[in-house]
Amino acid sequence: MPETPVLYVLNGPNLNLLGVREPHIYGRDTLADVQALCETAAEGATVVFRQSNHEGELVDWIQEARTEAVALVINPAAYSHTSIALLDALKALTIPVVECHLSNPGAREEFRRHSYVSLAAAGIVSGFGAHSYELAVKAALRLARERSASPAR
Ligand code: CA2
């Protein structure tokens, strides 16, 4: 592991509205609040925290993480359920990927019960509101540490 590891936390469409609308589903924390929680949970690792409403921009950032990050946390939002482009970009990574959701999509509408992104994720944290991100950050950094201690041959 580098002395100051870098963790990417990427957020998909409409998550910029967090805390502003639908607090009964997604809670009252804003995306800035979530970023602060991630930075605290990262315990000294550098967190690159970004949100985009555009699929291609998320693909570009995932590709960037290949060389810049030790691990990646992603809440792909609605793209979880639709995007083969995100899946392909994530499958090209060798760093650990953790999928993260505020709500529990498995307990919601049928169309949210399938995630393409899950096919490329080491694990999924969902249903705990902003706390999902703290758990996901910890899990991603732990996986990165484990892999650097015994790299795959
Ligand atoms: O629970 C999650 O984190 C989701 O990824 C959120 C997505 C949804 O499409 C996924 O099924 C589950 C929606 C993000 C939209 O976020 C908003 C936040 C506040 C107000 C409106 C939308």
Side-chain angles (χ1 to χ4, degrees):
M1 282 270 273
E3 204 171 307
T4 308
V6 174
L7 172 73
Y8 272 38
V9 180
L10 302 182
N11 296 279
N14 296 307
L15 286 164
N16 53 312
L17 298 176
L18 209 58
V20 179
R21 287 181 37 218
E22 304 197 68
H24 55 293
I25 304 175
Y26 300 117
R28 295 202 173 274
D29 287 309
T30 65
L31 202 58
D33 296 330
V34 172
Q35 178 172 0
L37 289 173
C38 289
E39 283 163 359
T40 303
E43 290 174 0
T46 299
V47 176
V48 173
F49 189 95
R50 296 182 185 155
Q51 185 274 332
S52 179
N53 292 328
H54 304 279
E55 190 176 24
E57 189 162 39
L58 291 162
V59 169
D60 287 343
W61 291 342
I62 292 167
Q63 291 187 8
E64 186 183 296
R66 288 176 64 212
T67 53
E68 301 303 316
V70 300
L72 182 145
V73 171
I74 185 164
N75 182 348
Y79 288 144
S80 318
H81 319 300
T82 63
S83 181
I84 296 169
L86 289 190
L87 171 62
D88 286 346
L90 290 165
K91 280 171 81 172
L93 297 181
T94 55
I95 59 172
V97 174
V98 176
E99 181 178 350
C100 172
H101 296 281
L102 295 151
S103 67
N104 174 2
R108 298 180 63 193
E109 302 95 323
E110 182 66 37
F111 63 84
R112 294 187 203 276
R113 294 187 192 156
H114 176 264
S115 163
Y116 285 100
V117 165
S118 297
L119 290 165
I124 307 157
V125 184
S126 65
F128 303 109
H131 187 47
S132 290
Y133 280 77
E134 295 180 273
L135 296 169
V137 163
K138 298 259 182 222
L141 288 172
R142 174 186 281 229
L143 283 173
R145 270 195 305 275
E146 285 170 0
R147 287 194 191 182
S148 79
S150 49
R153 267 172 275 160

